Amino acid sequence: MSVTSLPLNGTGVSEVQIPQIGLGTWPLTGQESTDMVTTAIDNGYRHIDTAQKYGNEDAVGLAIRAASVPRDELFITTKLINRYFGDVANVRAGIEHSLRETGLDYIDLMLIHWPNPQLGKYVETCASLAELVDTGLIRAWGVSNFKPEHLQNVVDAGLDIPLNQIQIDPLAGQPDYVAANAAHGVVVGAYSPTGRDLTLSDFPVLRDAAERYGKSEHQIVLRWHVQQGRIPVPRSSNAGRQRENLDVFDFELTDAEIAAINALDNGSRARLDADEYGH
Ligand SMILES: NC(=O)c1ccc[n+]([C@@H]2O[C@H](COP(=O)([O-])OP(=O)(O)OC[C@H]3O[C@@H](n4cnc5c(N)ncnc54)[C@H](OP(=O)(O)O)[C@@H]3O)[C@@H](O)[C@H]2O)c1
């Protein structure tokens, strides 16, 4: 089962490759989370998406440390909560918190989970993360839930942002936000990539494509992300659906099919507004 990798083109991380499909782990914790990650690694997943806020870094770390696959073949993303925003010392304490929780020696990708603009610290936090790449505690850094104005403020401070993980599904395509990321050379990660509770088979465009390629509607949507260079992190605790979600590298949607899926966008934004919500 092949997984494509993409370069992260940010400061100091031009060598880092990210497996294009990751396993989402929210909201599972404890043994359920460990079991889900173990099954996913056995099913070919090499990229796992966790966060300090999910309360499952310990459970995810347990699965990674016990995996049959060597650590350097796995890619772990986690996300910083705002308690650890600010100068290099505080951000480093945040990274060390994740290292303690996971029991790992390094994190592959540390994202700022939410910009929390009311704190006025996200630009400084980006600079601290970029500086900390050199310590080897993290291989790359990035952001999550950053709107175009947040990206712009970081870019204006002279930083290249490697990746921004935002909510994108066919109904909430947020093409203007995607374009803003592209304009700054920021790789887009997609969370809730299949719309979480959407019934994808309700949409004829997805149903027809699924029938044409002998794939499921979920696979069509994940292929739609992958083909546009995004890094989706679908979550499934079911072994069969995990395999299904990774099995999207043996067919190609046409430009017309991609455009038809893009046209499902109804203009909606993420469920939570990053100018008001954060942790
Ligand atoms: N950065 C952020 O602020 C942020 C916010 C939210 C989420 N995330 C990340 O994104 C990940 C994924 O997002 P999400 O969990 O909200 O939504 P999602 O991955 O789009 O949807 C998950 C749901 O889809 C079902 N599912 C998965 N594959 C399926 C398939 N092939 N066929 C049918 N159903 C399928 C799962 O059920 P089963 O388990 O039963 O298969 C689960 O109920 C999270 O786990 C988290 O890691 C990040």
Side-chain angles (χ1 to χ4, degrees):
M1 203 175 295
S2 76
V3 180
T4 307
S5 295
L6 287 179
L8 293 179
N9 294 317
T11 310
V13 296
S14 55
E15 302 301 315
V16 176
Q17 301 284 309
I18 179 168
Q20 203 169 354
I21 292 187
L23 177 82
T25 63
W26 174 88
L28 277 76
T29 56
Q31 193 61 46
E32 270 189 330
S33 176
T34 302
D35 290 348
M36 175 172 73
V37 175
T38 299
T39 308
I41 293 171
D42 290 345
N43 276 325
Y45 283 77
R46 296 295 177 263
H47 173 185
I48 311 294
D49 182 87
T50 177
Q52 294 175 339
K53 185 66 179 178
Y54 300 166
N56 65 10
E57 284 181 311
D58 55 346
V60 168
L62 208 58
I64 286 158
R65 285 182 282 117
S68 50
V69 174
R71 169 68 183 95
D72 64 3
E73 290 177 23
L74 297 170
F75 190 101
I76 314 307
T77 299
T78 192
K79 312 186 192 82
L80 200 67
I81 48 176
N82 60 22
R83 179 174 8 129
Y84 296 117
F85 281 19
D87 62 17
V88 169
N90 207 41
V91 173
R92 185 183 177 115
I95 295 170
E96 285 169 348
H97 172 92
S98 287
L99 295 177
R100 263 194 317 277
E101 286 294 309
T102 56
L104 301 177
D105 297 331
Y106 64 90
I107 299 294
D108 293 275
L109 178 63
M110 177 62 90
L111 305 179
I112 297 177
H113 204 150
W114 291 87
N116 293 275
Q118 70 289 353
L119 297 179
K121 287 186 177 176
Y122 65 80
V123 175
E124 182 191 11
T125 307
C126 286
S128 297
L129 280 170
E131 202 171 320
L132 284 159
V133 169
D134 285 340
T135 63
L137 299 178
I138 55 173
R139 293 179 63 223
W141 68 279
V143 300
S144 180
N145 296 298
F146 273 42
K147 293 182 177 182
E149 60 267 33
H150 307 134
L151 295 177
Q152 189 65 54
N153 288 334
V154 179
V155 169
D156 287 348
L159 291 159
D160 290 328
I161 305 168
L163 180 144
N164 184 18
Q165 188 188 83
I166 56 178
Q167 184 186 327
I168 307 183
D169 63 61
L171 302 195
Q174 307 202 76
D176 51 340
Y177 281 15
V178 170
N181 282 276
H184 293 303
V186 182
V187 172
V188 173
Y191 75 71
S192 304
T194 61
R196 194 183 287 176
D197 300 322
L198 280 182
T199 304
L200 298 178
S201 55
D202 283 349
F203 301 93
V205 164
L206 301 177
R207 223 172 39 228
D208 292 350
E211 200 169 313
R212 241 179 341 267
Y213 293 104
K215 294 284 180 181
S216 70
E217 288 82 4
H218 272 74
Q219 288 172 308
I220 297 297
V221 169
L222 291 168
R223 180 71 207 179
W224 168 75
H225 283 296
V226 162
Q227 232 172 284
Q228 295 178 96
R230 297 196 285 265
I231 315 282
V233 290
R235 179 237 325 166
S236 179
S237 42
N238 174 277
R241 288 193 285 278
Q242 287 180 355
R243 284 194 292 274
E244 179 184 320
N245 292 347
L246 213 47
D247 183 17
V248 301
F249 293 95
D250 60 351
F251 72 107
E252 196 164 357
L253 298 169
T254 64
D255 289 348
E257 286 165 339
I258 295 219
I261 299 171
N262 287 341
L264 293 176
D265 175 41
N266 63 16
S268 56
R269 291 292 185 200
R271 287 179 293 270
L272 297 164
D273 184 336
D275 281 318
E276 284 159 18
Y277 177 85
H279 43 63

